[in-house]
Amino acid sequence: MKELYRIMSDLLELEYNQKSLWYILDALAGGYDERQKEAMITNSTRYYLTGLQAELRVAINRLDAYIAERKKTDVENPEKTDR
C-alpha cells in the first residue's frame, strides 16, 4: 500500500509540473515579439514535456510492477490479501 501512495504522490507531482508549464507558457505569451515568442515557447515546451513524459513513464512502470507483484502474490497466497 505504501508503494501505491508513493506512486500517487509522483503522479500528483507530475500534475503540478504540468500546471507549472501552463503558467510558464502564459508568462511567455506576453513578453516577446512574435518570432522570439514562438521559438522560446516551442523550445521550452519540448524540453519540459520531455521531462514530464519521462516522469510519467517511471510512475506508470512502478504502478505496473506493483500490480504485477500484487497479482503474483494474490495467486500464490489467496488467503493473505489485504484489500
Side-chain angles (χ1 to χ4, degrees):
M1 188 58 93
K2 289 180 183 179
E3 183 65 12
L4 286 177
Y5 287 127
R6 281 184 258 158
I7 292 168
M8 187 61 173
S9 176
D10 289 347
L11 291 173
L12 290 173
E13 184 176 338
L14 180 61
E15 180 183 23
Y16 171 78
N17 287 329
Q18 288 173 333
K19 287 181 183 178
S20 296
L21 175 60
W22 185 264
Y23 295 135
I24 289 170
L25 293 174
D26 281 345
L28 285 172
Y32 295 93
D33 69 25
E34 287 303 312
R35 194 177 329 185
Q36 287 176 322
K37 182 170 54 175
E38 289 173 13
M40 180 64 115
I41 289 172
T42 300
N43 291 335
S44 298
T45 302
R46 283 184 186 148
Y47 175 78
Y48 210 125
L49 287 176
T50 299
L52 291 176
Q53 287 174 336
E55 289 179 38
L56 183 58
R57 265 188 238 108
V58 168
I60 290 171
N61 288 337
R62 286 178 57 209
L63 185 57
D64 286 345
Y66 176 84
I67 290 169
E69 183 62 32
R70 181 62 187 243
K71 183 67 174 175
K72 180 181 170 186
T73 302
D74 288 351
V75 168
E76 291 173 355
N77 301 312
E79 69 281 349
K80 292 187 176 182
T81 59
D82 64 337
R83 291 182 209 178

